Amino acid sequence: MPECSGASVAILTLGCRLNQGESEAIADEFRAQGFSVEPSWSAKSAAGLVIVNTCTVTSKADQKARGLLRRVMRENPGALVVATGCYASLDPEDLEALDDPGDGGLRRLFVPRMGKEGSGAGKAPLLELPALMREGAANGRGLREALESWASSRDGRAEGAPGDAFAFAPAESSPRARGFLKIQDGCDKACSYCRVREARGPSASVAPEEAVARLRSLEASGCAEAMISGVNVALYEHSGVGLARLIELLLEGTEKIAIRLSSLDPTIVDERLARAVEGPRARPYFHLSVQSGSDEVLRRMRRAYRARDVERAAGILRAVKGDPFLACDVIAGFPGEGDADFARTLELCARARFAWIHAFPYSPRQGTPAFSFPGAVRESLARERVDALLGMATAARRDYARAWLGREVAAVVEGGKASAGKKPALSENYLRLEVDCKGLKPKGGDPVRCVLADIRDGKAFDAGAELIT
């Protein structure tokens, strides 16, 4: 399809890998309709339309979204802006207040009421926008007119249909080194601190045959690796097929493409799942959603597992994959978390030998049960605890990389920058590598094999490596 003259779109993504995958699918639809999609954004951006895909996992995520929207409107005064995603779905009025057109002015920020349940936090209707914009341009209508018409057609519409959550097909023309395969959306859990389930609605799963077809499509496009994503992939269930069986079907239905699982609830990790990920095309990288090592804190969080279940899950994964990269999420400073509770979290992370800890302070979210819990932890103490966890994580990641020196790994070349004659790559076990290409010129997305040669500072790279030619 010919390119739409002068039509450029920028898509900015905040938050999780699921958001990233959905943004890529939206970008792919714009490309398919002949629009140019900018790979990044700055004050010099020429994009006439900027889409901001928001996150609401913490109050800081909300703040970041508002700040980004203000900056886009300030630094790109000629651009029109659409806010979508979890924050936009839950609190559209908050974002609309950022745009004050004044008396007789024209609004620049569109936050259409697109519903949320079953529709990927209101994003599915965005897939309709590129064709409407192209049709409008062909009929002499400007971008503003097309946006006004599209937004008004969405405002007040009923919640999305369950299938809308999976309208986001894998982005085959994505410039990223790996693809995303969305298998699940929404959540049926009732964790006392979480707002995301309100934005995403109840759990829904894509049909197994559709998941296999989409992974085949990614493989056919040359993608070496796919991230299997969802809000809570542990809840995957369709026609009697659970997560473990789906993984088997995905691997049976493809030939070369590797898969990497997004965050896992510890309760889903059992011998059945272990058998499913035993083969070499399931990457030796797992991220457990842990949140705390204190059983009492986990109870107040309304999590369905305890510390011993986390250790059991880590042991199962370590046994089946040898020396996998195990990571986790931890919330520090949850209401009522005392020094002894936090000490138990540190002890659990040490016993489970996590190679990385994604630590962040508890964020009160109005409307959640935890918002009114007693025993608030002062912000400075929560920050100290986060710093302690990140210090442990930095040391653990370096130790993990050091243990792999001299060993061979599979990796996928990334599209970023490295030194002359070298390429950035992500190893199968989630180490960021700077690979000496030995005079060869692998492209972003190419699978390679290399040997770890030296340890780096961990800021840009975990290790240096040498390409096996």
Side-chain angles (χ1 to χ4, degrees):
M1 181 173 290
E3 185 169 315
C4 289
S5 177
S8 180
V9 178
I11 302 177
L12 313 181
T13 307
L14 302 172
C16 64
R17 292 187 178 97
L18 183 56
N19 264 11
Q20 294 171 17
E22 290 167 344
S23 287
E24 288 193 7
I26 293 167
D28 214 43
E29 187 62 29
F30 272 101
R31 293 188 190 97
Q33 293 295 330
F35 292 89
S36 171
V37 179
E38 296 189 6
S40 60
W41 174 85
S42 72
K44 298 179 181 179
S45 171
L49 174 65
V50 180
I51 297 172
V52 178
N53 191 354
T54 64
C55 172
T56 193
V57 69
T58 64
S59 57
K60 187 167 286 187
D62 290 354
Q63 181 182 356
K64 189 172 182 180
R66 292 193 300 270
L68 180 57
L69 285 163
R70 287 192 188 98
R71 184 183 166 201
V72 168
M73 289 190 290
R74 181 179 66 250
E75 297 182 0
N76 294 80
L80 298 180
V81 183
V82 171
T84 189
C86 290
Y87 184 23
S89 178
L90 285 178
D91 298 310
E93 297 87 356
D94 283 5
L95 301 184
E96 286 176 336
L98 302 177
D99 184 16
D100 182 11
D103 292 340
L106 296 173
R107 65 172 174 166
R108 296 180 54 211
L109 175 59
F110 295 81
V111 194
R113 309 302 205 272
M114 296 187 287
K116 51 184 180 288
E117 295 197 12
S119 62
K123 277 171 275 192
L126 274 168
L127 297 172
E128 304 169 4
L129 182 57
L132 292 174
M133 286 171 54
R134 182 178 179 84
E135 180 184 351
N139 293 322
R141 296 197 301 271
L143 174 59
R144 176 178 294 280
E145 187 178 353
L147 269 177
E148 292 277 8
S149 174
W150 170 78
S152 63
S153 73
R154 305 307 313 180
D155 284 348
R157 189 173 290 193
E159 302 290 353
D164 285 351
F166 305 105
F168 302 94
E172 296 177 11
S173 63
S174 166
R176 296 176 64 88
R178 58 191 49 79
F180 290 86
L181 176 62
K182 178 179 177 179
I183 64 166
Q184 187 273 341
D185 203 334
C187 189
D188 297 333
K189 302 293 183 181
C191 298
S192 62
Y193 55 85
C194 186
R195 272 185 103 210
V196 173
R197 70 188 187 94
E198 299 175 35
R200 291 279 181 170
S203 181
S205 301
V206 71
E209 58 271 20
E210 178 63 22
V212 172
R214 291 184 175 192
L215 189 62
R216 283 177 180 159
S217 178
L218 282 172
E219 183 175 61
S221 73
C223 191
E225 177 181 304
M227 171 65 74
I228 310 301
S229 65
V231 171
N232 185 346
V233 295
L235 295 178
Y236 179 87
E237 197 283 327
H238 195 291
S239 305
V241 174
L243 179 62
R245 179 55 183 153
L246 178 67
I247 293 170
E248 292 173 345
L249 292 172
L250 291 171
L251 294 173
E252 290 168 4
T254 53
E255 297 180 1
K256 297 185 297 182
I257 191 169
I259 63 170
R260 191 185 295 274
L261 294 174
S262 62
S263 185
L264 294 171
D265 187 302
T267 59
I268 194 66
V269 181
D270 56 14
E271 298 301 332
R272 179 78 176 81
L273 183 73
R275 289 195 298 273
V277 300
E278 189 173 12
R281 286 202 288 135
R283 294 302 203 199
Y285 159 82
F286 303 97
H287 188 113
L288 296 178
S289 182
V290 172
Q291 313 310 353
S292 178
S294 164
D295 286 353
E296 178 57 26
V297 172
L298 289 170
R299 183 188 66 77
R300 290 199 299 275
M301 289 179 169
R302 299 183 184 173
R303 303 292 284 179
Y305 55 85
R306 297 297 179 258
R308 65 178 179 276
D309 300 311
V310 175
E311 287 192 77
R312 176 194 55 78
I316 290 173
L317 295 172
R318 202 176 295 283
V320 76
K321 299 299 277 189
D323 187 16
F325 188 109
L326 296 184
C328 69
D329 285 330
V330 172
I331 298 173
F334 192 77
E337 181 188 67
D339 291 342
D341 294 308
F342 182 64
R344 293 186 184 99
T345 297
L346 292 175
E347 291 163 4
L348 174 63
C349 290
R351 290 196 306 270
R353 291 185 289 151
F354 288 118
W356 183 251
I357 305 165
H358 179 207
F360 49 98
Y362 166 71
S363 179
R365 312 301 283 138
Q366 196 162 8
T368 64
F371 186 77
S372 58
F373 282 3
V377 176
R378 72 178 187 275
E379 190 174 335
S380 60
L381 179 56
R383 189 72 252 174
E384 288 175 13
R385 290 174 177 173
V386 168
D387 290 343
L389 287 162
L390 292 179
M392 173 184 279
T394 299
R397 188 172 189 131
R398 188 176 180 85
D399 288 344
Y400 181 82
R402 185 179 293 109
W404 279 81
L405 284 177
R407 297 167 69 178
E408 182 179 331
V409 296
V412 176
V413 175
E414 304 262 279
K417 295 181 179 180
S419 305
K422 299 180 180 180
K423 290 280 188 178
L426 186 70
S427 75
E428 57 187 320
N429 55 344
Y430 211 67
L431 292 174
R432 299 163 299 185
L433 306 178
E434 185 178 46
V435 181
D436 184 343
C437 296
K438 303 293 185 181
L440 300 178
K441 296 181 179 180
K443 303 182 300 296
D446 284 351
V448 296
R449 297 200 68 83
C450 50
V451 173
L452 269 66
D454 60 84
I455 299 298
R456 301 296 172 82
D457 61 13
K459 293 178 181 177
F461 301 105
D462 296 306
E466 297 180 354
L467 193 68
I468 297 176
T469 59

